[in-house]
Amino acid sequence: MSRLIVISNRVSAPKGRSPAGAQGGLAVALGAMLREYRGLWFGWSGEKTDHFTGQINMHREDGITTATIDLEEQDVDEYYNGYANRTLWPLFHYRIDLAEYDRSFGSGYERVNHRFAETVAPLIEPDDLVWVHDYHLIPLATQLRQAGLKNRIGFFLHIPWPPRRLLVSLPFHERLVRSMLDYDLIGFQNEEWLDSFRDYVRYELGGTIEEDGTIIVGKRKVKAGCFPIGVDFEEFTEAVKSEETQQAYHRLLKSAEGKSVIVGVDRLDYSKGLEERFWGYRRFLEEHPDYHRHVLLLQVAPPSRGEVHTYEAIRERLDELSGRINGGFAEVDWVPIRYVNRGYNRAELAGFYRASDVGLITPLRDGMNLVAKEYVAAQDPEDPGVLILSRFAGAATQLRDALLVNPYSKDEISDAIRQALDMPLDERKRRWQSMYDSVEKEDVVWWRQNFVQALKGVEKRANLTIAS
Ligand code: ADP
Ligand code: F6P
C-alpha cells in the first residue's frame, strides 16, 4: 500500500498540546485521517527560529507521525500573516476590500513554499501519494516537481475559490493559478468554487474542460473535482457519550435556568459573520420583547491570527457591540449575550451543542463550516435543536434542511431565530433526521476515501508530458 504524505501549513499537535479551538477544521479533519493511514504529516511547527535550518522534528503519538519545521520571524510575517492571511484569505472570502498586496508577502510566500519543498522532498518515496492542503501551499507542487518528484500529488482547497472577476484583482494571479497545473488532482468543497476555478481556466488561461472534468491547458492535464469535507462522525458521536460532554451539557443547561439557548462557535474571524450575527440577534430582541429573559445567545469565539490587524479590529468591534447589546437589553437577572473568547475541547463543545435549542452559524463566506455539521451530530434524536445556517457556507449545499439565511440580513436572522424557537417537535425531528443522515454518510472518512481514490486513479507523471 502506498503511504500518504500530508502537507499543510499547520500540523495538529498531539492531543492535549494545542489550545482548544485554535486549530480550525483542517487540523481536526486531517488528524482523523492520518490515524488510519501509514504515512506522515509535514508542516510548520508554529514555532519561530532565528535562522531557518530545515531541521525536521519527527514525532509519533496517538497513531500519527508528524514532521515539523520551525520558520524564521520574517517567514511567518510575510508568508503566514502576510500573503496567506492578509492577501489570499480575504480575497478568497470575497473581501477584496480587506486584501492587501505587498511585494514582500509574495516573495515570502514563494520562499516558504520552496523551503517546505526542499525539506520534505527527501522524505518522500517514489510510490507515496502526496496530498497538499490549503491556500498557504498553492505553489508547492511546482516546487516539488522542480525537486524531481514524479509522484501523484493532490491539492485540496479548504476555503472558497473566488469568482474570476475578483481573482484578477490579485497581482500575478495567473502565475499562482498556473502553478496549480503541476498537481494531478485539485479538490474543492463544492460546485460553486469548482465552477469559478473552471471559469478562470477557460477565460484567463484559454484552457478547456473535458466531459470527465479533466482540465487541459496547453500540454498540461489536471483533474479537478468536488470533495466536500465532513466531520469525524464516529469520534464525535463517541464524544457525545463521554462524561466530559455530559458535564458541559448539564453546566450549560443549569446556568440557562430554563431559557432557550442559541449557540454560535467560531474562530474569531471576520469571515464568520459574527458582527452581522450580533446585529441580527439585536433585531430579534427589538422585535420580540416577549422573548426577553427567555432566551440567551452563547457565542464562543477564541481569538485567531492575532498578529493580523484586521483580526484585532474585528475583536475590538465585537467587544464593543456585545457590550452595547448587553447594556441596552440586560436586566439585573438576565444578560442576552454570553460572549466567550476562549476555546473548549470537542467533548465540551458537543455538550454545549446538545444543550442548545438553536445553532446559529452564519458565516459571510465559508469553504465548508464543520461546526454546523458537529451541531447536527450532537443533537438528541428525541428533542433535536434547529440549525440556522448561512446560505454562503459550503455546508449549505448538503444541509438543505437547516433554516438557510442571508447572513447580511438582520431581518432574515431575526425571523429565522423566531421560527427556530417556535418550531414544533415533529418538524424539528424531520429536518434534523435528514441532516443527520447526510452528516453521518458524508463524513471525514468518505471525504478522504473519495479524494485518495481519485488521486490513485490519475495517471502517474512519468507517463505524462510535463511542460517545462
Ligand atoms: P475553520 O476551519 O474556518 O476554523 P470550521 O467550522 O470548518 O472552520 O472548523 C472549525 C473546527 O474548529 C471545528 O471542528 C470546531 O469544533 C473547532 N472550533 C471552532 N471554534 C471553536 C471553539 N470556539 N472552541 C473549540 N473548538 C472550536
Ligand atoms: O479551514 C481553513 C483554515 O484556514 C485552515 O487551513 C486552518 O488550519 C484553519 O482555518 C485555522 O486557521 P489558522 O491555521 O490560521 O489558525
Side-chain angles (χ1 to χ4, degrees):
M1 191 170 110
S2 334
R3 295 187 315 165
L4 184 64
I5 309 296
V6 168
I7 309 177
S8 64
N9 169 61
R10 191 184 276 280
V11 173
S12 179
K15 273 184 189 157
R17 290 243 212 110
S18 59
Q23 296 175 337
L26 186 151
V28 172
L30 291 184
M33 182 183 76
L34 275 151
R35 246 165 250 126
E36 287 187 40
Y37 250 81
R38 223 161 53 85
L40 66 92
W41 186 354
F42 177 88
W44 175 38
S45 60
E47 302 296 326
K48 293 179 190 167
T49 178
D50 289 344
H51 297 289
F52 178 76
T53 58
Q55 191 196 317
I56 302 173
N57 184 13
M58 301 284 275
H59 193 88
R60 188 166 169 82
E61 193 175 319
D62 208 16
I64 301 175
T65 304
T66 56
T68 54
I69 50 171
D70 299 343
L71 292 176
E72 286 172 16
E73 176 127 25
Q74 190 182 353
D75 289 341
V76 177
D77 278 351
E78 295 174 352
Y79 148 81
Y80 174 72
N81 290 324
Y83 202 75
N85 288 322
R86 287 165 70 173
T87 306
L88 295 183
W89 179 272
L91 171 64
F92 279 42
H93 287 85
Y94 298 29
R95 294 297 303 270
I96 51 172
D97 58 317
L98 297 181
E100 296 171 56
Y101 307 108
D102 188 305
R103 207 188 296 272
S104 69
F105 296 171
S107 54
Y109 186 68
E110 291 283 336
R111 184 177 63 248
V112 172
N113 270 268
H114 182 69
R115 287 182 164 174
F116 264 57
E118 269 198 323
T119 321
V120 74
L123 303 179
I124 301 176
E125 293 166 13
D127 275 338
D128 290 344
L129 292 171
V130 180
W131 191 358
V132 178
H133 290 262
D134 235 353
Y135 58 103
H136 316 85
L137 300 174
I138 292 175
L140 193 67
T142 305
Q143 306 276 1
L144 289 172
R145 299 284 179 216
Q146 278 166 12
L149 254 78
K150 293 200 165 63
N151 302 55
R152 294 182 178 89
I153 311 182
F155 176 78
F156 185 77
L157 184 68
H158 290 253
I159 65 174
W161 180 270
R164 170 170 59 97
R165 288 180 199 288
L166 296 187
L167 185 52
V168 294
S169 67
L170 176 73
F172 307 111
H173 53 89
E174 189 176 325
R175 179 185 162 97
L176 186 78
V177 183
R178 276 193 185 278
S179 71
M180 291 174 81
L181 306 175
D182 279 321
Y183 288 101
D184 297 299
L185 174 68
I186 303 173
F188 296 93
Q189 298 273 25
N190 69 21
E191 292 289 338
E192 189 181 342
W193 327 133
L194 175 60
D195 279 351
S196 299
F197 181 72
R198 287 176 172 162
D199 187 52
Y200 182 96
V201 166
R202 271 195 209 99
Y203 294 99
E204 296 293 326
L205 303 185
T208 51
I209 319 295
E210 306 232 294
E211 250 174 47
D212 68 352
T214 306
I215 289 177
I216 303 188
V217 181
K219 292 182 182 166
R220 297 277 168 89
K221 272 189 178 187
V222 193
K223 290 255 185 220
C226 228
F227 301 87
I229 198 168
V231 292
D232 185 349
F233 185 81
E234 231 181 86
E235 198 212 307
F236 199 81
T237 43
E238 270 309 303
V240 172
K241 297 178 202 150
S242 71
E243 186 54 39
E244 218 174 347
T245 299
Q246 288 304 313
Q247 277 173 9
Y249 170 82
H250 288 296
R251 183 176 166 200
L252 179 54
L253 271 194
K254 189 164 172 247
S255 73
E257 295 175 323
K259 296 175 192 64
S260 299
V261 179
I262 303 170
V263 72
V265 172
D266 309 77
R267 276 184 306 105
L268 211 170
D269 191 303
Y270 51 83
S271 68
K272 301 292 181 184
L274 296 169
E275 237 180 317
E276 292 75 5
R277 189 179 307 170
F278 282 2
W279 283 113
Y281 179 62
R282 183 179 191 275
R283 171 66 49 91
F284 169 79
L285 295 175
E286 278 165 0
E287 290 181 340
H288 301 289
D290 47 323
Y291 271 97
H292 291 194
R293 305 163 59 95
H294 300 297
V295 70
L296 67 91
L297 169 62
L298 168 64
Q299 178 61 57
V300 181
S304 172
R305 304 174 191 166
E307 292 178 13
V308 178
H309 63 95
T310 39
Y311 285 76
E312 271 172 50
I314 178 80
R315 187 169 183 187
E316 277 168 24
R317 290 201 299 277
L318 285 167
D319 283 348
E320 198 210 319
L321 184 56
S322 57
R324 264 171 63 189
I325 296 173
N326 279 339
F329 290 90
E331 307 268 355
V332 281
D333 54 357
W334 172 59
V335 179
I337 302 182
R338 294 185 189 172
Y339 178 46
V340 185
N341 285 140
R342 55 157 288 194
Y344 290 91
N345 67 42
R346 297 200 318 127
E348 290 172 297
L349 281 185
F352 298 153
Y353 295 143
R354 199 173 173 96
S356 301
D357 303 270
V358 181
L360 187 56
I361 318 287
T362 54
L364 303 180
R365 198 62 61 174
D366 209 333
M368 174 53 68
N369 199 292
L370 290 175
V371 169
K373 294 187 173 183
E374 290 168 0
Y375 179 78
V376 170
Q379 295 308 301
D380 173 359
E382 297 310 317
D383 187 19
V386 179
L387 176 65
I388 300 176
L389 179 63
S390 162
R391 59 179 69 251
F392 303 134
T397 43
Q398 291 165 295
L399 305 179
R400 304 304 299 170
D401 277 300
L403 296 180
L404 296 179
V405 294
N406 173 353
Y408 293 94
S409 164
K410 301 183 191 74
D411 294 331
E412 279 194 34
I413 292 178
S414 167
D415 291 351
I417 293 175
R418 175 73 200 233
Q419 188 185 346
L421 292 172
D422 290 353
M423 192 178 287
L425 180 62
D426 56 346
E427 184 181 348
R428 280 194 276 133
K429 280 186 172 175
R430 182 182 55 71
R431 285 176 181 271
W432 170 78
Q433 188 66 56
S434 97
M435 293 192 285
Y436 185 81
D437 292 345
S438 121
V439 171
E440 180 177 21
K441 190 166 145 261
E442 296 167 357
D443 69 348
V444 75
V445 179
W446 174 85
W447 169 73
R448 182 259 296 162
Q449 280 172 349
N450 283 341
F451 191 91
V452 172
Q453 279 314 320
L455 185 57
K456 281 182 180 165
V458 295
E459 228 180 312
K460 241 186 135 180
R461 279 272 151 167
N463 307 322
L464 294 174
T465 320
I466 305 173
S468 57

